């Protein structure tokens, strides 16, 4: 028998943390958006809160929090670009200058957002390691 041409490989652990962090950040972003004078966006919430949560989860499981945060930032950029396309009206009706600006701005967002996610993921990993080490030292003191 020949092997199946379709091979299903599970996602890496960093991608799993990134997706989980993005999903966890959605309700938090909605609650933050209810605050007065808040302009929280889905992409921004995923990029900051989701990457932070992904970094915490990765640090708890002794994985690279930076990688989880970077991937969460990339997911945030993709969600942000897709959201702006869906809420911006029909792209076919856009003038050429708006299309050019959108393409350049989307490229910039897709390049920069993962690095913001990396920083937030690192901050989440640092926080998890700091708090976790305090819990372990308090438990050892008893």
């Amino acid at each position: 028998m020949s092997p199946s041409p379709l091979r299903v490989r599970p996602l890496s652990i960093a991608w799993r943390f990134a997706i989980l962090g993005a999903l966890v950040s959605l309700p938090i972003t909605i609650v933050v958006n209810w605050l007065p004078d808040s302009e929280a966006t889905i992409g921004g919430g995923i990029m900051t809160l989701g990457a932070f949560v992904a970094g915490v989860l990765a640090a708890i499981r002794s994985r690279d929090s930076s990688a989880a945060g970077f991937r969460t930032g990339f997911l945030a950029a993709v969600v942000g670009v897709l959201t702006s396309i869906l809420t911006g009206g029909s792209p076919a009706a856009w003038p050429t200058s708006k299309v050019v600006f959108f393409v350049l701005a989307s490229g910039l967002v897709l390049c920069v957002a993962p690095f913001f996610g990396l920083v937030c993921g690192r901050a989440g990993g640092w926080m998890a390691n700091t708090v976790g080490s305090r819990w372990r030292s308090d438990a050892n003191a008893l």
Side-chain angles (χ1 to χ4, degrees), residues 108-127:
L108 180 68
V109 167
L110 286 168
C111 291
V112 172
F115 292 104
F116 279 106
L118 181 136
V119 170
C120 291
R122 244 186 219 182
W126 172 82
M127 196 270 319

Side-chain angles (χ1 to χ4, degrees), residues 59-121:
I60 289 172
R61 295 281 306 255
S62 298
R63 303 290 182 185
D64 187 13
S65 59
S66 299
F70 188 84
R71 286 167 174 82
T72 308
F74 179 74
L75 287 176
V78 169
V79 168
V81 168
L82 291 177
T83 302
S84 64
I85 289 173
L86 295 176
T87 60
S90 173
W94 290 355
T96 306
S97 61
K98 187 174 182 179
V99 171
V100 170
F101 175 76
F102 182 78
V103 168
L104 292 175
S106 297
L108 180 68
V109 167
L110 286 168
C111 291
V112 172
F115 292 104
F116 279 106
L118 181 136
V119 170
C120 291

